[in-house]
Amino acid sequence: MHIGVLGTGTVGRTLAQALVDRGHEVRMGARAAGNEKAVAWAQSGGPLASEGSFADAAAFGELVINATAGAASLDALEMAGAEQLAGKVLIDVANPLDFSQGMPPTLTVCNDDSLGERIQRAFGDLHVVKTLNTVTASVMVAPDSLAGTHTMFMCGNDADAKAQATILLEGFGWPSASILDLGDITAARGMEMYLPLWLRIYSAKGTAVVNVEVRALTA
Amino acid sequence: MHIGVLGTGTVGRTLAQALVDRGHEVRMGARAAGNEKAVAWAQSGGPLASEGSFADAAAFGELVINATAGAASLDALEMAGAEQLAGKVLIDVANPLDFSQGMPPTLTVCNDDSLGERIQRAFGDLHVVKTLNTVTASVMVAPDSLAGTHTMFMCGNDADAKAQATILLEGFGWPSASILDLGDITAARGMEMYLPLWLRIYSAKGTAVVNVEVRALTA
């Protein structure tokens, strides 16, 4: 599959490499083609790895992943261009964290709205699936780095898009029974508002390699 | 132990009865003594159960539990009175949910502040411990209603107060290894901002009897 990965940070590079390792052709996108980190990754990532602008990566991908910093995601997607994104699945793994006031970060949007919803509203014919934003990059692509089963949340308005995202998650090693569909894209509020708790769990446990397992009463 | 429980809703009544069942003397507080639900509980709750105003319950308790609706908690604590609360441990189990705009609820405070912090700021010599707000009432007092271990978060500025809260949680059946201290009271942001995710988990699982187990990489 051809996949565009928007973003050159740890999350973008980790996802891009994991996808290449699984046989996908991946183009990493940045504000402009020739981004230093994107070029370095494309050179080291093997023959399936390439790089370009956000628009290049979006046009290349049958499926696109938003791994940009959440506070900059809408700008990045504008640069990618509505025409390049039209009708595609966008897997949004970003968190709208605002570090401008120091630590701990706050969210640039929350409570009655979310980044996932904003992206969906801004690009009406994009099929936005929010997932993976609740774990650190290494856990995204290697859930077995944590003992036992643990939960990956997902939400979005389009069932087919969520089915595609599920296949991608299963490729990373997430058991289908661990993927919890929370419904439509408004569930992105909860998935993003979990971040402040995640940060405190990280701090309490002394490692970012953390996640939660949902337990529910079974009939 | 003498415990004051502020609030007459499901959470207040569930906690009050569980405490009486464990041999504590409990006074349930409402806006005024003689509240219908508080009287009904006091009559059915056995000889250790009594009721009164918020101030009565706060004065009675060596330890006080805030089980009022989060949006009304600061008013309720004002009515309880700073003198009645001074120097005591307050276990804050409330969530600042705003249902005024319909479902889903939003939070009346979040992101750069929290109800737990507001209470701590308003009553400087109260030792606020936030805990139990991330599970439904029945799970608070019977964690074994869910299979396996699962996590109870806690935060607060005072170590002795958290130790008292821990004893109370252990009395409800929470294993000490399942109680995760997230640090000072500012962690209440994350614990309260988890509610929108909790609501979607509840909806996806079809039961409020849900919780999460934190998994972390162990060295």
Side-chain angles (χ1 to χ4, degrees):
Chain A
M1 193 175 191
H2 283 204
I3 298 178
V5 173
L6 311 183
T8 63
T10 302
V11 172
R13 296 195 310 271
T14 302
L15 289 172
Q17 191 60 47
L19 291 164
V20 159
D21 292 345
R22 283 155 184 79
H24 298 290
E25 288 190 58
V26 177
R27 185 158 300 169
M28 180 179 289
R31 297 181 75 82
N35 171 283
E36 191 178 343
K37 285 195 278 187
V39 168
W41 174 74
Q43 287 174 347
S44 68
L48 301 175
S50 62
E51 64 84 27
S53 66
F54 286 137
D56 293 334
F60 178 82
E62 303 159 65
L63 179 148
V64 180
I65 297 179
N66 175 35
T68 62
S73 290
L74 281 166
D75 282 349
L77 289 163
E78 285 296 338
M79 293 177 74
E83 318 87 76
Q84 275 71 250
L85 295 168
K88 295 182 179 174
V89 173
L90 180 85
I91 297 183
D92 174 31
V93 309
N95 282 304
L97 297 172
D98 177 2
F99 292 93
S100 67
Q101 306 301 310
M103 292 294 288
T106 55
L107 300 177
T108 60
V109 54
C110 69
N111 209 10
D112 60 357
D113 201 1
S114 62
L115 177 61
E117 289 166 272
R118 285 188 173 179
I119 293 172
Q120 186 60 80
R121 282 200 305 274
F123 301 90
D125 54 4
L126 190 61
H127 304 300
V128 180
V129 179
K130 187 103 202 178
T131 191
L132 288 173
N133 72 303
T134 55
V135 294
T136 200
S138 66
V139 175
M140 291 180 187
V141 300
D144 61 359
S145 56
L146 280 168
T149 57
H150 46 103
T151 303
M152 178 44 58
F153 302 107
M154 170 188 290
C155 71
N157 295 342
D158 188 86
D160 289 341
K162 288 193 277 195
Q164 280 197 52
T166 299
I167 291 169
L168 191 141
L169 292 174
E170 289 171 348
F172 291 153
W174 291 93
S176 57
S178 291
I179 301 169
L180 183 57
D181 184 348
L182 296 176
D184 70 20
I185 193 65
T186 63
R189 291 176 207 180
M191 290 172 61
E192 296 171 9
M193 290 170 78
Y194 166 71
L195 258 288
L197 181 60
W198 183 88
L199 286 163
R200 296 302 288 242
I201 294 171
Y202 169 12
S203 178
K205 290 292 189 182
T207 172
V209 182
V210 293
N211 194 17
V212 293
E213 160 87 347
V214 168
R215 297 208 190 285
L217 187 68
T218 49
Chain B
M1 194 176 191
H2 284 205
I3 298 177
V5 173
L6 312 182
T8 63
T10 302
V11 172
R13 296 196 309 270
T14 302
L15 289 171
Q17 191 60 45
L19 291 164
V20 159
D21 292 345
R22 283 155 185 79
H24 298 290
E25 289 190 56
V26 177
R27 184 159 299 168
M28 181 179 287
R31 297 181 75 83
N35 172 283
E36 192 178 340
K37 286 195 278 188
V39 168
W41 174 73
Q43 287 174 347
S44 67
L48 300 176
S50 62
E51 63 85 25
S53 67
F54 286 137
D56 292 336
F60 178 82
E62 302 159 67
L63 178 149
V64 180
I65 297 178
N66 175 36
T68 62
S73 290
L74 280 166
D75 282 351
L77 290 163
E78 285 295 338
M79 293 177 74
E83 320 86 79
Q84 275 72 247
L85 295 168
K88 294 181 179 174
V89 172
L90 180 85
I91 296 183
D92 174 31
V93 309
N95 281 304
L97 297 172
D98 177 1
F99 292 93
S100 67
Q101 306 300 311
M103 292 295 287
T106 55
L107 300 178
T108 60
V109 54
C110 69
N111 210 9
D112 61 355
D113 201 0
S114 63
L115 177 62
E117 289 165 272
R118 285 188 174 178
I119 294 172
Q120 185 61 80
R121 283 200 305 275
F123 300 90
D125 55 3
L126 190 62
H127 304 301
V128 180
V129 179
K130 188 104 203 176
T131 192
L132 288 173
N133 72 302
T134 56
V135 294
T136 200
S138 65
V139 175
M140 291 180 186
V141 301
D144 61 358
S145 55
L146 280 168
T149 56
H150 46 102
T151 303
M152 177 45 58
F153 302 107
M154 168 187 291
C155 72
N157 295 342
D158 188 87
D160 289 341
K162 288 193 276 195
Q164 279 197 54
T166 298
I167 292 168
L168 191 141
L169 292 174
E170 290 171 347
F172 291 152
W174 292 92
S176 58
S178 291
I179 301 169
L180 183 55
D181 184 348
L182 295 176
D184 69 20
I185 193 65
T186 63
R189 291 176 207 179
M191 291 173 62
E192 296 171 9
M193 290 170 76
Y194 166 71
L195 259 287
L197 181 60
W198 183 88
L199 286 163
R200 297 301 287 243
I201 295 171
Y202 168 13
S203 177
K205 290 291 187 182
T207 172
V209 182
V210 293
N211 195 17
V212 293
E213 161 85 345
V214 168
R215 298 207 189 284
L217 186 69
T218 49

